[in-house]
Every structure is written in C-alpha cells, then in structure tokens.
Amino acid sequence: MVRQPSINAQHRTPLSTERIIEAALRIVDGQGLARLTMRRLGDALEVEAMAIYHHLPRGKEQLLDALVTHVASSPAQADGAASAGWREPLRRWAAGYRERLLAHAGVLPLLVTRRNSAALTTTVRSLQEVLRRGGVGEEAAAAAAHTVLGYVIGHAALEVRGTPEDGADRPVDWDSRFTAGLDLVLAGVG
Amino acid sequence: MVRQPSINAQHRTPLSTERIIEAALRIVDGQGLARLTMRRLGDALEVEAMAIYHHLPRGKEQLLDALVTHVASSPAQADGAASAGWREPLRRWAAGYRERLLAHAGVLPLLVTRRNSAALTTTVRSLQEVLRRGGVGEEAAAAAAHTVLGYVIGHAALEVRGTPEDGADRPVDWDSRFTAGLDLVLAGVG
DNA sequence: ACCTGAACACCGTTCAAGT
DNA sequence: ACCTGAACACCGTTCAAGT
C-alpha cells in the first residue's frame, strides 16, 4: 500500500480557536480536568498537539483561560420584556448561572485560580445591571452583586463535591436548598 | 575526599506525615499549587521524592486530600463561654474560616475538586452546631449552614481572584464587603 | 499560513535494592 | 522500617522542517 498522508490533512475542516475550545470542554466535561492534556486534545481534533499552539500561542495557560471565559463570563442577560423589579430577574439569572457552572463542573477549580479575572468582572457587571435596572441604588447594587455571585459560586462548589447527606444524615435536595438559600440572600438585599 | 553519604541520613529528623504536609503547604502558599511536585517536595524535606510514598501510599492524590483536610476542615469551635444567640458566634466563625481560606488561597481550587468530601462535611456539621446551640431549629440550621458556607467559600474565591475594582471602577474594600454580605445573609436566617 | 516530527526538560509512580 | 536509584510512561513546549 502506498501511503497517502496528505488526503486526511487536505479534506478535514481546518482548526479554529472555537473548535479547540469546544473539544477541550468536551474532554473536561466527560473525563475531568486532569485528563485534559495538549496531546489528548490534539487526538480529539485529529491533529498533532503542536498544531494547537498555532491558534493559542500561550499554550495550555491560554486554553484554560479560554475555558473559564466560555463558562463563567455571563452574557448581559438582555431580558427583552422589562420585568417589574429586580427580584424575579435576579432569581432567573442565578438559576441560569448555577446551571452553567454545574454543567461544566470540571471548570470550577479554574474559576478559583488566579487566571482570567476579566471573565468574572464581566459577570459582576451584568449582575449589577440586573439590580440597577430593578431600581437598586449604585452602592447597594455593587455590594449585592458580590454577595449573590459569591453565594452562587460557593453553593455550586458545595453541590459539585456532593456530600450526599446533611449533618443529620438526610439526603440533600440541592435544588430546593439552592433556591432557599438564594431567597435568604435576596431577602437581605431589600 | 571520602564520601560519607550516611551522615546526613542518620542525623536528620525522620520523615512524618505532619512534616510532609507542612512542607507541602509552605510550597503552595509561597509558590503556588502548580509548583507543588513530588520531586520539589522531596527537595524541601531533604529526601528523595520516592520516600514520601512510604508515608502517603496513595501518592499525590493523598497529599492533596490531606491539604484540603488541613485547611478546610473546621474545628468544632469550642467557644468556651456560651455566648447568647447564634449571630455573634456565627460572625466569628465565618471571619475565622474566611481568614484560613485566604491564608492558603492556593488550596482553594482543590476544595472545589471532587476530592475529600469528608472535610467539608465536618465543616458543615460544626456550622450547624453553632446554629443549633444558638437556638435555631434543626431544619433551618441545616439550610442556613449550606447557605453561609457557600457564601464564605464563594466570596473567598472572588477575593482571591481579586478583581481590583467593582463595576463602577472603584477599588473594592473586600473586608467590609465580606461583612456586609454576611450580615445580609444572616439577616435572612432569622 | 498551517501543520508535523523529533527533541528537551520535566512530571508521577513502580520496583528492586540498599541500610 | 525507612529510604534510594534507576527506569517507565507520560507531560508541556521549542524549534526546525515540511506543504
């Protein structure tokens, strides 16, 4: 058999930053953060690991930063129909954000590392937007945003680790516990 | 010169799990989690890396688990003088726990990984203790414990990443923001 | 412009051997 | 019982080379 090494290389769709990040996220979600290596990522993309560096010159650092941005940087929640007050929009925002964190739980440790503070700044700002549009003052909105985001991230961390029972050895219903805790926080806001 | 390889080996204090963990924590605090390697840890202890496996047979996994336990597993807060109510004890508990998390910020990502759920279970239980001793009912204490712990961990995560300014580009006073958010949460508890 | 192949300096871990 | 040394199968990354 004659080797035809160029056939695959020519016909496959070319690499792109988006495809790289999607593949990386698939590995993290399916196999865990520890199994995300440049070589395995290359395999998944049917490419040599070194090809990735052409799109992400800063290598794995840049890849991990991009994963954090992809998962943790919340969109500005263009809620369309202006709902009355901030309470309901904030509940929706928190529920959506929690869902994303849990869907990509492997990325959570990265969010807590020093990397990519821009991602969370965006998120804080979008949270403040929701509050201010609901009539909460500038100062109070800034404080409440940190409180709520802190709670959501922290609770997601507890959930992921999944202690199967509470202190009294009853199974924990995380969904209702999350909303209960959130309402508790929101009650404090105003 | 004649080599006398046994002199150092004989006179130095022997390895122990405690010394290993202390040295590991020193590396993580001083140089970051990424620089904690078995080989470097061995160097710090003036021992070959492989000697560590004699005390921690499960290797690096076990080492990281131990770090989480050391930092995140809160003591039962034997508060001595029974203070009235739960509010003040809880404030002290939260302040102390936050301080520990920030002092060993490099361990925070490990706390969010699936490892060692026993550590946080202990912490949740000690928090519930504080609440119940203050007269909060069983059910409410269980929910409040998760809420408070979630908030403290999440806020510590935000602090460590240290976005230097809030949404309005003012520098953030994390200390007062933490207590403000905590009071907000506590106001919800009761 | 985009990808490959070989090479380098590291990892964690095993296992037989030393004392 | 406790530690060492060599070895193995991996890493991330550089760099010259291919198309």
Side-chain angles (χ1 to χ4, degrees):
Chain A
M1 265 211 282
V2 182
R3 289 185 65 214
Q4 296 175 305
S6 54
I7 284 193
N8 273 334
Q10 307 225 342
H11 287 202
R12 70 192 171 199
T13 59
L15 221 46
S16 72
T17 311
E18 289 78 42
R19 281 188 58 223
I20 293 173
I21 292 170
E22 281 166 23
L25 207 53
R26 208 152 32 229
I27 291 174
V28 172
D29 292 343
Q31 318 184 39
L33 185 60
R35 289 188 62 80
L36 176 63
T37 70
M38 298 302 271
R39 280 166 158 99
R40 237 189 296 266
L41 183 54
D43 279 357
L45 293 162
E46 297 183 50
V47 113
E48 292 299 312
M50 298 74 199
I52 298 167
Y53 287 80
H54 202 268
H55 298 85
L56 302 174
R58 271 178 39 247
K60 196 171 188 184
E61 284 295 306
Q62 192 173 358
L63 175 65
L64 298 182
D65 287 355
L67 288 183
V68 171
T69 302
H70 190 97
V71 171
S73 152
S74 164
Q77 183 99 1
D79 216 356
S83 32
W86 51 270
R87 205 168 222 97
E88 214 26 65
L90 208 65
R91 269 207 198 89
R92 269 207 298 281
W93 185 97
Y97 199 72
R98 165 179 177 251
E99 230 167 274
R100 269 166 79 183
L101 292 184
L102 294 182
H104 307 288
V107 179
L108 217 49
L110 297 178
L111 207 141
V112 168
T113 321
R114 207 167 293 278
R115 77 183 69 260
N116 200 359
S117 47
L120 274 190
T121 300
T122 306
T123 306
V124 168
R125 249 178 252 257
S126 101
L127 239 176
Q128 290 176 344
E129 249 315 279
V130 172
L131 283 157
R132 274 197 309 247
R133 272 205 305 250
V136 178
E138 183 91 10
E139 197 80 7
H146 271 141
T147 307
V148 171
L149 184 57
Y151 168 72
V152 174
I153 290 175
H155 199 275
L158 290 180
E159 286 188 69
V160 162
R161 301 185 73 275
T163 46
E165 41 201 44
D166 67 6
D169 298 316
R170 274 170 315 222
V172 177
D173 177 351
W174 288 107
D175 277 11
S176 63
R177 185 138 292 177
F178 173 78
T179 21
L182 182 62
D183 283 344
L184 218 130
V185 173
L186 296 188
V189 171
Chain B
M1 264 211 285
V2 182
R3 288 186 65 213
Q4 297 176 306
S6 54
I7 284 193
N8 274 332
Q10 306 225 343
H11 287 202
R12 71 191 171 199
T13 60
L15 221 45
S16 72
T17 310
E18 288 78 43
R19 279 189 57 223
I20 292 172
I21 291 171
E22 281 165 24
L25 207 53
R26 209 153 30 232
I27 291 174
V28 172
D29 291 344
Q31 318 184 40
L33 185 60
R35 289 187 62 80
L36 176 63
T37 70
M38 298 302 270
R39 281 165 158 101
R40 237 188 298 264
L41 182 55
D43 279 357
L45 293 162
E46 296 183 52
V47 112
E48 292 297 313
M50 299 73 200
I52 299 168
Y53 288 80
H54 202 268
H55 298 86
L56 302 174
R58 272 179 37 249
K60 197 171 186 182
E61 283 295 305
Q62 193 172 358
L63 175 65
L64 299 182
D65 286 356
L67 287 183
V68 171
T69 303
H70 190 97
V71 171
S73 151
S74 164
Q77 184 99 1
D79 215 357
S83 31
W86 49 269
R87 206 168 222 96
E88 213 26 64
L90 207 65
R91 270 209 197 87
R92 268 207 299 281
W93 185 97
Y97 198 72
R98 164 177 177 252
E99 229 167 274
R100 268 166 79 185
L101 292 184
L102 293 183
H104 307 287
V107 179
L108 216 48
L110 297 177
L111 207 140
V112 168
T113 319
R114 209 166 292 280
R115 73 183 73 258
N116 199 0
S117 47
L120 275 190
T121 300
T122 306
T123 306
V124 169
R125 249 179 252 258
S126 102
L127 241 176
Q128 290 176 344
E129 250 314 281
V130 172
L131 283 157
R132 273 197 311 248
R133 273 206 305 250
V136 178
E138 184 91 10
E139 197 78 7
H146 271 141
T147 307
V148 171
L149 184 56
Y151 168 73
V152 174
I153 290 176
H155 199 275
L158 290 181
E159 285 188 71
V160 161
R161 302 186 72 276
T163 47
E165 41 201 43
D166 67 6
D169 298 316
R170 274 172 313 224
V172 177
D173 177 351
W174 287 107
D175 277 13
S176 63
R177 186 139 291 179
F178 174 78
T179 21
L182 181 63
D183 282 344
L184 218 130
V185 173
L186 296 187
V189 172

